[in-house]
Amino acid sequence: MKLKILLFLLLFSNFSFAYEFMPFEINTRNVIEKKYLNQPLIISFWSIDCPYCIDDLKKLGKALSKNKNVKLITVCVDGKESAKKAERILNQANLPKHEQYQYVEVDEDKLRYSIDPTWYGELPRTYFYDKAHQVTPLSGKISNSFLDAWLNK
């Protein structure tokens, strides 16, 4: 009986470790901005169904392995039912250790508007914050030239 209980606990604890995403809610972007004030920061919004997003994650992983002073935040816009697939994609991108979020808001349009009223949901969407927290939003694939120039500022 003790073995069954132990196995159950191990199984249950394994599930809790499998979901490492923090919830991304209406005010999460503001909280992140305050937390990393005066630090270079990249916030990447992505989806498991977006090939360009996955390419960008790999590109960021490679670039940030050489630029460890830049903080990275990733936000998966898919629901929590996609968490395992999202984790697999992030692991394959060889990203540095970073905070991972996932949408939890039921009204995605309201959430997206709270993130950026000028954003219409196109992916990938990436926000580059320099040291002074001047923000450069970018929709679509990140070019190598843009990323190199931004990292060398």
Side-chain angles (χ1 to χ4, degrees):
M1 182 65 175
K2 289 181 181 178
L3 181 60
K4 287 181 182 179
I5 293 172
L6 178 62
L7 288 173
F8 176 77
L9 290 174
L10 287 173
L11 183 63
F12 180 74
S13 66
N14 193 19
F15 280 124
S16 65
F17 288 122
Y19 188 76
E20 296 180 14
F21 293 97
M22 293 182 281
F24 196 94
E25 301 167 313
I26 295 284
N27 292 321
T28 304
R29 182 176 177 190
N30 293 333
V31 171
I32 291 169
E33 289 174 340
K34 288 178 184 171
K35 181 177 180 180
Y36 295 106
L37 194 62
N38 299 323
Q39 294 181 34
L41 170 68
I42 298 173
I43 303 177
S44 174
F45 290 83
W46 68 283
S47 170
I48 60 172
D49 297 322
C50 167
Y52 293 134
C53 300
I54 296 167
D55 288 346
D56 276 0
L57 292 171
K58 291 176 182 174
K59 189 178 295 182
L60 289 171
K62 187 175 180 180
L64 296 181
S65 69
K66 301 171 190 164
N67 294 280
K68 300 191 185 293
N69 63 333
V70 178
K71 296 292 180 189
L72 174 67
I73 306 288
T74 58
V75 183
C76 180
V77 301
D78 303 306
K80 66 180 182 181
E81 64 279 357
S82 303
K84 286 191 175 191
K85 187 171 183 181
E87 280 186 10
R88 251 191 330 269
I89 290 169
L90 289 175
N91 288 335
Q92 291 171 350
N94 294 318
L95 294 164
K97 186 174 180 172
H98 68 283
E99 294 177 20
Q100 304 168 8
Y101 290 87
Q102 192 165 38
Y103 276 11
V104 293
E105 192 70 37
V106 174
D107 188 344
E108 287 187 26
D109 289 336
K110 184 178 175 183
L111 178 59
R112 183 184 36 74
Y113 188 82
S114 74
I115 295 165
D116 181 350
T118 66
W119 179 33
Y120 297 101
E122 65 277 10
L123 293 171
R125 179 73 166 181
T126 312
Y127 295 89
F128 294 87
Y129 296 76
D130 63 16
K131 290 177 189 169
H133 262 218
Q134 297 296 312
V135 184
T136 304
L138 181 67
S139 286
K141 243 180 136 166
I142 304 168
S143 71
N144 289 331
S145 59
F146 172 84
L147 188 57
D148 290 342
W150 186 82
L151 289 169
N152 291 320
K153 272 188 178 178

